[in-house]
């Protein structure tokens, strides 16, 4: 029951931007009522970053911060401190994974900037380095392998998917709003991996308006057979909370019921969670409280029958058809 958090994340602060320090402030203020171990991360080293990212990307981001920062692209902003804070965020994910590797249970890196849009050589979508991919490659250096990633941010984690797209030892499942209607415009069902990694990327594009029942219904039918057949040594959760009905950046309508369910579903696994999106502060705080309490076994989902809309059932049928040769969904 470990939270990896540093107040230094506040240095990467843009009050004018939705991805600002109030996000982690809101989460930590809410989580302090729980009996949690809170540890301070160490910064990732350049060598840690280079296990995932190119030298040119590392040099460019560092130089951009040294020149004072600004917009890397139309929505990704850096301050003069952002390079150092991004190293700290990557280091938080590394520390969380080490805690779980050594002690079991779960750990949660509450860090910013987020990471799942960052590709090997590009920062985008508020993300500078891919925190989770860096943590996974650090574990591989230690001899651990065979990881399941479940990304429930409302946006497709294009960076994480791209990094592991041809890797049969990393199963990446992303549930996100239909990319025809939302950034980054990729994450379709037929994006299934490449080479030896074919079948190890699974996208679940959800129709706008999908709710907690839809999410629980489809994930419960997909994750159990995948988990049983893939047999991961560790589960990584790219924990985005911007699918919440009150979030301003998307059109999915889940509520705290879903975050309770997903935490409860994985509570008996070795789990590393890494914070991604979530931009309505009240919804972000309440959802994190439910998520963490359910990981702790203090909160359980409602036991009622779960139903899904017909469009979501259609999405499931298409996934089942595409992946039938890989998993017994």
């Amino acid at each position: 029951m470990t939270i990896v958090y540093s107040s230094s994340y506040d240095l990467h602060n843009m009050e004018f931007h939705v991805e600002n320090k109030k996000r982690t402030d809101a989460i930590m203020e809410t989580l302090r009522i729980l009996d949690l171990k809170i540890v301070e991360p160490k910064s990732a080293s350049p060598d840690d970053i280079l296990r995932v990212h190119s030298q040119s990307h590392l040099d460019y981001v560092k130089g951009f911060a040294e020149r004072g920062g600004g917009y890397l692209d139309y929505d990704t902003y850096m301050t003069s401190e952002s390079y150092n804070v991004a190293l700290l965020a990557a280091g938080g994910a590394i520390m969380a994974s080490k805690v779980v590797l050594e002690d079991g249970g779960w750990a949660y890196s509450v860090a910013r900037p987020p990471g799942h849009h960052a590709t090997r050589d590009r920062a985008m979508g508020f993300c500078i380095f891919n925190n989770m991919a860096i943590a996974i490659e650090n574990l591989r250096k230690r001899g651990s392998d065979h990881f399941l990633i479940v990304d429930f941010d409302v946006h497709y984690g294009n960076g994480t998917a791209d990094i592991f797209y041809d890797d049969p030892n990393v199963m990446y499942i992303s549930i996100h709003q239909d990319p025809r209607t939302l950034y980054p415009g990729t994450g379709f069902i037929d994006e299934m991996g490449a080479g030896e990694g074919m079948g190890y990327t699974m996208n679940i594009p959800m129709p706008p308006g999908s709710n907690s029942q839809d999410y629980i219904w489809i994930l419960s039918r997909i994750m159990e057979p995948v988990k049983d057949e893939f047999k991961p040594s560790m589960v990584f959760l790219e924990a985005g909370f911007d699918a919440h009905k009150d979030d301003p950046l998307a059109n999915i309508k889940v509520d705290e019921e879903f975050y309770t369910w997903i935490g409860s579903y994985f509570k008996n696994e070795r789990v590393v969670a890494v914070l991604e999106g979530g931009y309505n502060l009240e919804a972000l705080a309440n959802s994190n409280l439910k998520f963490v309490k359910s990981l702790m076994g203090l909160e359980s989902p409602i036991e009622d029958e779960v139903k899904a809309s017909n469009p979501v059932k259609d999405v499931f049928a298409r996934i089942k058809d595409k992946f039938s040769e890989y998993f017994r969904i």
Side-chain angles (χ1 to χ4, degrees):
M1 296 187 295
T2 301
I3 301 292
V4 182
Y5 172 75
S6 172
S7 60
S8 295
Y9 297 136
D10 291 352
L11 295 174
H12 170 74
N13 186 35
M14 305 86 67
E15 290 287 352
F16 60 89
H17 197 289
V18 292
E19 204 297 286
N20 64 60
K21 79 181 192 71
K22 292 178 182 178
R23 298 180 63 238
T24 46
D25 287 348
I27 294 169
M28 295 306 297
E29 183 62 30
T30 303
L31 295 185
R32 288 188 194 282
I33 68 171
L34 302 176
D35 183 19
L36 296 165
K37 180 181 180 181
I38 299 175
V39 299
E40 184 86 13
K42 296 179 180 177
S43 296
S45 70
D47 285 345
D48 292 326
I49 304 300
L50 291 173
R51 289 191 180 93
V52 169
H53 295 286
S54 64
Q55 183 71 59
S56 61
H57 177 62
L58 178 68
D59 292 344
Y60 180 75
V61 168
K62 182 180 180 183
F64 197 81
E66 288 172 347
R67 293 189 295 273
Y71 278 98
L72 281 166
D73 62 18
Y74 69 93
D75 63 3
T76 307
Y77 193 85
M78 288 184 66
T79 72
S80 60
E81 296 292 339
S82 293
Y83 170 74
N84 291 328
V85 177
L87 291 179
L88 193 63
I94 290 172
M95 179 168 286
S97 66
K98 285 182 182 176
V99 167
V100 175
L101 180 67
E102 294 169 5
D103 301 333
W106 61 268
Y108 181 15
S109 176
V110 179
R112 47 179 299 273
H116 75 153
H117 292 305
T119 67
R120 291 190 184 277
D121 55 9
R122 184 183 174 192
M124 57 186 293
F126 312 162
C127 304
I128 297 172
F129 299 132
N130 196 299
N131 304 320
M132 180 167 287
I134 291 165
I136 285 174
E137 293 303 341
N138 187 275
L139 286 183
R140 289 215 253 219
K141 180 189 71 170
R142 298 165 179 269
S144 185
D145 209 339
H146 224 56
F147 306 107
L148 170 63
I149 301 172
V150 178
D151 186 339
F152 55 87
D153 190 280
V154 79
H155 305 89
Y156 175 51
N158 61 293
T160 306
D162 182 66
I163 289 164
F164 297 115
Y165 205 60
D166 59 357
D167 191 333
N169 292 310
V170 179
M171 179 75 203
Y172 176 75
I173 299 176
S174 177
I175 185 166
H176 49 267
Q177 185 172 317
D178 189 328
R180 293 173 298 180
T181 67
L182 193 68
Y183 181 91
T186 55
F188 294 98
I189 292 171
D190 59 2
E191 295 171 45
M192 299 171 59
E196 292 184 354
M198 187 65 179
Y200 293 98
T201 295
M202 183 184 291
N203 291 312
I204 310 171
M206 298 294 279
S210 298
N211 59 27
S212 289
Q213 293 265 307
D214 293 318
Y215 265 55
I216 294 168
W217 185 91
I218 198 167
L219 282 174
S220 62
R221 282 159 176 77
I222 286 172
M223 288 200 302
E224 199 62 32
V226 169
K227 191 157 58 75
D228 285 349
E229 294 176 46
F230 184 69
K231 293 181 172 53
S233 59
M234 195 176 294
V235 176
F236 281 79
L237 301 179
E238 292 197 301
F241 298 87
D242 42 5
H244 194 282
K245 60 185 176 63
D246 294 331
D247 198 272
L249 298 190
N251 301 107
I252 297 295
K253 304 298 180 184
V254 308
D255 57 17
E256 286 77 5
E257 178 187 4
F258 169 69
Y259 300 112
T260 301
W261 178 83
I262 194 122
S264 184
Y265 182 85
F266 286 112
K267 69 182 180 182
N268 295 320
E269 306 282 348
R270 297 202 301 169
V271 171
V272 178
V274 177
L275 178 65
E276 295 292 345
Y279 306 100
N280 177 294
L281 297 181
E282 183 177 0
L284 178 65
N286 292 338
S287 299
N288 268 270
L289 181 61
K290 293 287 189 178
F291 173 61
V292 172
K293 287 179 74 174
S294 62
L295 281 171
M296 297 173 72
L298 300 177
E299 195 98 20
S300 298
I302 299 169
E303 295 287 336
D304 295 343
E305 181 185 1
V306 177
K307 299 179 180 179
S309 66
N310 287 331
V312 170
K313 290 179 180 178
D314 290 342
V315 170
F316 175 69
R318 289 161 52 210
I319 291 170
K320 186 174 180 178
D321 178 62
K322 284 281 189 179
F323 283 86
S324 60
E325 65 178 289
Y326 302 101
F327 298 100
R328 298 186 196 93
I329 295 174

